[in-house]
Amino acid sequence: MSRSALLVLADGRFPAGGHAHSGGAEPAVAAGHIKDAATLETFCRGRLHTAGLVAAGLAAAAAAGHDPLALDEAADARTPVPALRQVARRLGRQMMRAARATWPSAELDALALARPRGAHQPVVLGLAARSAGLTPLDAAYAVAYENISGPATAVVRLLSLDPFDATAVLARLTDDLEQVAEQATEAAHRAATEGLGALPAASAPLLDIAAEAHAAWPVRLFAS
């Protein structure tokens, strides 16, 4: 399949449920950590090099043909916060529905059967990329971009930030995005000989703490 499939997979309108999630932006706005385009850029850069790198590595490994069930366990180990594990599986379940309808494959069917409540979203996305004929690098790019485009889009709603300013933030992060995608793909290739321990395991404690607090909010605009 052509690289055009990557455009479909990375499109914000792909029905994978991401529009309902802020990627930690909602609690960051409430705490005053995000208040304008400059602080949004700082937040997205930090998220990209931590949670984004981890997710991109998992997606690249799934696209490279590593055992998705083992990757799902590796994702659990890299997601210490229950709230974020729940979100990742909820998004993975929705991604699975969209992927199986778009690029049906026996591998997607097998993972859906083994994880009826949902596998971690980056693993499902990587397997969807594989089913679409895309490369591990393609999968890493899609996940890395999603990790910053989601918060940027959410902040437009949360702060009434000018959409042009939010898009400019994403444009300024393209070099970081390429670095993260390439680093994640290299780790996925090393995992073939070194094991899944070679995959990134960067941490973002503030995102973890904020996710747990946000999950207890009685009223919120986004699911996470």
Side-chain angles (χ1 to χ4, degrees), residues 80-221:
V81 176
L84 290 181
R85 287 200 297 270
Q86 184 179 29
V87 167
R89 293 190 180 281
R90 187 184 309 153
L91 285 171
R93 186 168 62 249
Q94 181 64 25
M95 170 65 72
M96 179 65 78
R97 291 180 59 195
R100 292 175 76 188
T102 310
W103 301 291
S105 76
E107 289 180 314
L108 284 170
D109 291 343
L111 181 57
L113 182 63
R115 293 287 188 270
R117 294 190 176 184
H120 279 256
Q121 190 261 8
V123 178
V124 179
L125 190 149
L127 203 58
R130 180 176 172 84
S131 299
L134 295 171
T135 69
L137 182 59
D138 292 328
Y141 267 115
V143 168
Y145 178 71
E146 179 187 61
N147 265 264
I148 56 175
S149 63
T153 301
V155 169
V156 170
R157 295 173 61 186
L158 290 163
L159 287 179
S160 296
L161 185 70
D162 190 325
F164 295 120
D165 290 338
T167 301
V169 166
L170 297 178
R172 289 193 293 271
L173 289 171
T174 51
D175 287 345
D176 291 79
L177 195 151
E178 290 190 5
Q179 177 187 343
V180 165
E182 290 170 1
Q183 185 179 348
T185 304
E186 179 187 0
H189 290 320
R190 285 194 288 108
T193 55
E194 299 177 22
L196 297 184
L199 296 178
S203 63
L206 286 180
L207 283 178
D208 293 343
I209 294 169
E212 279 295 305
H214 183 263
W217 287 10
V219 178
R220 57 194 180 196
L221 184 61

